[in-house]
Amino acid sequence: MANISLLLKSLLLLVISLAFVDANKDTINDRDSLVCSGMYSKEDWGGKVNPFISFDMKKLEEADDTAVTVAIFDFQDYQHLGARASDGVFYNVCNDDAIKVNLCNSTQKNKFIVRDEIYDQETGENKTAASAILTFYQNQTGLHKSKYAVKNTGYYCVVTHRESLDTKFSAVVNFRNAFGNLPAAEINKLPLYGLLAIFYLVAMALYSFAFWKHKHELLPLQKYLLAFFVFLTAETIFIWAYYDIKNEKGDTA
């Protein structure tokens, strides 16, 4: 009975600890202006939907005409964001000053400045972005209508910029992979724990058969080994089931 009680307590603690794990969503706000996550393309890891990154503004507080500028990009393309004027001043966002020095035009105002090509000092050639860069600005709460379509496997980031330091905002960034709601770094655990569960089940079945066959000549240690097999099998099934549900349902809180 003591072993069963210990098993139940351990499984309860495991479920409680896993309950605090979020789906693949991150919060970005006026204090933390950058979030990143790995993403798989649909070709590299299949799934039901086309992978995307979305931006949902939950709170925005400030004066009139306040907007938060957003850029979504592959991390390896970070050098394509922003431009330096001839006087040495670096501009991240297309504002009136950047327009005056011809770094951007009025149709790009309030968006991040994106350079299609940059000079690579190592190769001495102009380098284009590996993936598309999406930039927009948002001056109201709600889900932005444009979603970033992930075409290539990589490490993607969302960065924000606010003109006024008094602007307070909070938004949720959803890194949605094709296979489900798990982060790209976690998806390998799903088949891993599935295989482990099958392995432990087979091992426990074989040991249980030998246990029953020699039930009248068992040592205490052999009984403890059976309890150990039961614990490992149940724990692995619980973990696999959690990742599977989380991948399908996401964060329902």
Side-chain angles (χ1 to χ4, degrees):
M1 292 297 293
N3 288 334
I4 295 176
S5 177
L6 179 61
L7 172 63
L8 292 175
K9 288 180 180 178
S10 300
L11 290 176
L12 180 61
L13 288 173
L14 173 66
V15 172
I16 291 174
S17 64
L18 287 175
F20 290 98
V21 180
D22 266 347
N24 198 22
K25 295 181 180 179
D26 279 313
T27 299
I28 192 167
N29 51 46
D30 48 275
R31 297 179 301 277
D32 300 311
S33 60
L34 176 70
V35 293
C36 299
S37 179
M39 296 285 291
Y40 279 109
S41 68
K42 195 171 184 179
E43 289 73 21
D44 289 341
W45 200 299
K48 301 176 182 178
V49 301
N50 294 318
F52 65 85
I53 302 171
S54 64
F55 184 89
D56 188 1
M57 184 74 76
K58 296 296 186 181
K59 182 184 73 172
L60 181 61
E61 300 175 358
E62 213 343 70
D64 296 337
D65 298 326
T66 294
V68 175
T69 304
V70 182
I72 306 176
F73 60 99
D74 190 328
F75 179 74
Q76 63 180 320
D77 297 327
Y78 73 94
Q79 292 180 321
H80 290 267
L81 292 176
R84 192 176 301 279
S86 57
D87 58 1
V89 179
F90 190 86
Y91 294 88
N92 286 310
V93 174
C94 182
N95 53 26
D96 292 333
D97 294 333
I99 294 173
K100 288 179 182 178
V101 294
N102 297 319
L103 292 179
C104 55
N105 55 55
S106 58
T107 61
Q108 301 166 326
K109 189 174 181 179
N110 293 329
K111 299 179 181 179
F112 271 91
I113 298 173
V114 178
R115 289 177 291 162
D116 295 330
E117 292 186 348
I118 59 172
Y119 179 74
D120 191 336
Q121 295 182 348
E122 294 183 0
T123 62
E125 299 176 351
N126 289 332
K127 180 181 178 182
T128 59
S131 302
I133 298 176
L134 173 65
T135 178
F136 57 87
Y137 70 99
Q138 189 159 342
N139 56 8
Q140 59 185 357
T141 57
L143 181 66
H144 194 271
K145 61 181 180 180
S146 298
K147 295 180 180 179
Y148 182 89
V150 176
K151 301 296 184 181
N152 305 308
T153 298
Y155 191 65
Y156 289 84
C157 295
V158 178
V159 64
T160 60
H161 174 84
R162 52 194 177 125
E163 285 294 334
S164 172
L165 295 179
D166 295 327
T167 301
K168 306 296 181 185
F169 74 95
S170 179
V172 173
V173 178
N174 183 16
F175 295 94
R176 180 60 160 87
N177 280 283
F179 50 76
N181 293 283
L182 282 175
E186 299 285 329
I187 187 59
N188 290 301
K189 294 179 180 179
L190 192 57
L192 172 63
Y193 279 109
L195 289 173
L196 281 175
I198 294 172
F199 172 78
Y200 285 139
L201 252 153
V202 171
M204 185 181 69
L206 293 174
Y207 188 83
S208 297
F209 175 75
F211 186 93
W212 175 81
K213 188 176 180 180
H214 302 282
K215 57 182 178 292
H216 298 299
E217 47 189 89
L218 295 174
L219 297 173
L221 178 61
Q222 293 168 317
K223 297 178 181 179
Y224 297 147
L225 284 174
L226 179 60
F228 176 72
F229 266 123
V230 172
F231 172 78
L232 278 181
T233 304
E235 178 192 40
T236 307
I237 292 174
F238 266 77
I239 296 175
W240 172 82
Y242 169 78
Y243 280 115
D244 184 59
I245 295 171
K246 200 69 174 180
N247 186 52
E248 290 294 327
K249 303 297 182 182
D251 185 11
T252 57

